[in-house]
Amino acid sequence: MESQLRNSRVLVTGGAGFIGSNLVEVLLEQDNEVVCLDNFATGSRLNIEPFLNQKNFKFIEGDIRNAEDCKKATDGTDYVLHQAALGSVPRSVKDPVTSNDVNVGGFLNMLVSARNAKVKRFVYASSSAIYGDHKGMPKVEEETGNPLSPYAITKKVNELYAGIFADLYGIEVVGLRYFNVFGKRQDPNGEYAAVIPRFVKSLILHERPEIFGNGEQSRDFTFIENVLQANQLAALATGSGALNTAYNIAFGERITLNELYSLLRENLSAFDPAISAIEPIYTAERPGDIPHSLASVAKARIQLGYNPQYSVKEGLQKAIAWYWENLK
Ligand SMILES: NC(=O)c1ccc[n+]([C@@H]2O[C@H](COP(=O)([O-])OP(=O)(O)OC[C@H]3O[C@@H](n4cnc5c(N)ncnc54)[C@H](O)[C@@H]3O)[C@@H](O)[C@H]2O)c1
């Protein structure tokens, strides 16, 4: 089974963001024609700057809430890797309407455009947030609980829409439930920054990072390279059993935030020994957060041939080296 996309035309929505720009990079390296649709809501021009002068790259500044922009980006496309969305549980708690407009309305526009353009496959970013209050661990795809945030609802609705579009119109869809992805170009700034870049930036600046709650909540942190592999496998998978469903995309191990903090501090101390003395500050828990998260990746292994190559420790070493170069 093919595992890498090559010589195809691929649309990456949200390509100026963290995951999207990493996808764009690898797809260009593999001789694809890549179109990126992004409105810079949370992404940045800096993330796509290295690609702008490449002849196989086309950037469309546009909004997935606008059906015309979606059509323009999708026409002539073989594969859609749909990443554009407003991430962050707290953002959706503060402004559920905008999260819904982008994550549900925009998603539906993209599905309609992909169907009309007769793309070969529509692969989209779902989320581990789908598991909500379900207590079982590890999380298996068929057992989800009640969503705990507007963000989680939007991702659940995405999966429902994708399923209906597969049934009604025959479009091939694959959802990827990412578990806390990290790696280069993940934004460390702003109130909705993800935990790893937020901690790393604070430590580099010799500031005390804030841990919400007691730090004993756990996550299956997933290095970006594993996500790049999963997207390509999902686009190329054959066999009807592999399609029109959603997969956990993670490494399949969890660590607590306190353990993560120690690992980050230890790794960064190699660059700057003063960091080893910095202690975190513990503050109140955040509403909507899931206490524990651990994925079973068995379904993706069996159906897609997913074989994550980077553990959290291996991924952190690479990510930290990048942040040290780019933030110090
Ligand atoms: N990073 C994670 O840990 C994680 C976990 C689970 C799911 N996801 C999902 O993966 C996807 C990518 O996440 P990310 O971490 O790269 O986030 P990101 O914020 O870095 O990237 C999202 C991109 O989408 C763009 N975008 C937002 N609204 C848009 C709109 N209306 N029109 C066009 N573009 C728009 C942003 O400008 C940004 O470039 C999202 O769908 C997110 O929900 C991410």
Side-chain angles (χ1 to χ4, degrees):
M1 193 157 60
E2 280 297 317
S3 61
Q4 294 190 325
L5 279 168
R6 290 186 184 276
N7 304 312
S8 299
R9 186 170 158 118
V10 189
L11 167 62
V12 181
T13 68
F18 157 49
I19 296 173
S21 67
N22 280 283
L23 280 167
V24 169
E25 184 177 14
V26 75
L27 292 171
L28 286 172
E29 280 165 12
Q30 291 170 196
D31 299 323
N32 295 285
E33 253 182 76
V34 182
V35 177
C36 163
L37 172 65
D38 202 298
N39 70 348
F40 296 123
T42 56
S44 104
R45 202 171 280 275
L46 261 186
N47 286 343
I48 52 165
E49 203 120 72
F51 319 128
L52 287 172
N53 60 0
Q54 298 193 29
K55 69 173 184 349
N56 281 342
F57 181 67
K58 181 173 166 194
F59 178 65
I60 299 174
E61 184 167 349
D63 195 314
I64 57 169
R65 286 169 294 185
N66 177 326
E68 269 306 305
D69 289 347
C70 297
K71 178 178 180 334
K72 200 160 75 176
T74 313
D75 280 351
T77 292
D78 296 317
Y79 300 97
V80 177
L81 305 181
H82 177 58
Q83 312 301 312
L86 288 177
S88 161
V89 164
R91 184 202 309 275
S92 77
V93 172
K94 198 163 172 187
D95 180 2
V97 173
T98 311
S99 286
N100 190 78
D101 286 349
V102 174
N103 298 8
V104 177
F107 184 88
L108 189 52
N109 282 337
M110 280 304 307
L111 264 181
V112 169
S113 303
R115 179 202 64 189
N116 292 349
K118 300 190 167 45
V119 303
K120 291 181 182 159
R121 189 141 322 149
F122 184 86
V123 178
Y124 64 96
S126 183
S127 170
S128 58
I130 290 251
Y131 291 101
D133 65 359
H134 190 271
K135 296 269 187 305
M137 279 210 288
K139 307 295 180 197
V140 289
E141 284 83 347
E142 281 63 40
E143 293 170 26
T144 59
N146 297 306
L148 292 173
S149 64
Y151 172 73
I153 291 179
T154 67
K155 293 293 180 180
K156 189 152 191 149
V157 173
N158 287 176
E159 292 194 4
L160 292 170
Y161 265 126
I164 284 296
F165 267 60
D167 288 350
L168 291 179
Y169 310 114
I171 178 172
E172 292 184 353
V173 296
V174 180
L176 301 177
R177 294 180 186 166
Y178 302 150
F179 281 64
N180 293 79
V181 188
F182 69 95
K184 70 181 177 190
R185 292 199 285 267
Q186 190 170 28
D187 190 358
N189 300 308
E191 61 177 314
Y192 302 126
V195 62
I196 290 179
R198 191 162 54 78
F199 282 4
V200 170
K201 185 182 173 198
S202 298
L203 288 168
I204 288 177
L205 295 176
H206 290 186
E207 289 168 0
R208 295 177 66 190
E210 204 180 352
I211 295 184
F212 304 116
N214 64 6
E216 286 306 300
Q217 56 278 52
S218 60
R219 298 284 181 271
D220 194 335
F221 291 102
T222 308
F223 187 51
I224 183 70
E225 288 290 331
N226 302 329
V227 169
L228 302 182
Q229 182 199 99
N231 270 273
Q232 297 183 75
L233 290 169
L236 294 169
T238 51
S240 55
L243 305 180
N244 309 336
T245 186
Y247 295 94
N248 292 341
I249 299 302
F251 184 67
E253 275 176 21
R254 70 186 165 116
I255 59 171
T256 67
L257 290 194
N258 288 327
E259 287 166 335
L260 171 72
Y261 185 79
S262 301
L263 275 174
L264 292 175
R265 195 171 55 175
E266 188 186 309
N267 273 285
L268 281 164
S269 301
F271 296 99
D272 174 0
I275 289 174
S276 63
I278 302 173
E279 293 297 335
I281 301 172
Y282 291 91
T283 58
E285 280 176 28
R286 290 190 309 189
D289 269 353
I290 293 176
H292 299 289
S293 185
L294 169 68
S296 160
V297 291
K299 182 175 167 186
R301 279 188 193 278
I302 293 164
Q303 296 288 359
L304 302 179
Y306 174 62
N307 184 15
Q309 296 294 304
Y310 289 85
S311 67
V312 64
K313 281 190 184 157
E314 290 159 337
L316 279 179
Q317 276 178 3
K318 285 192 172 269
I320 283 171
W322 185 87
Y323 278 116
W324 181 257
E325 275 308 305
N326 288 275
L327 289 185
K328 72 172 189 306

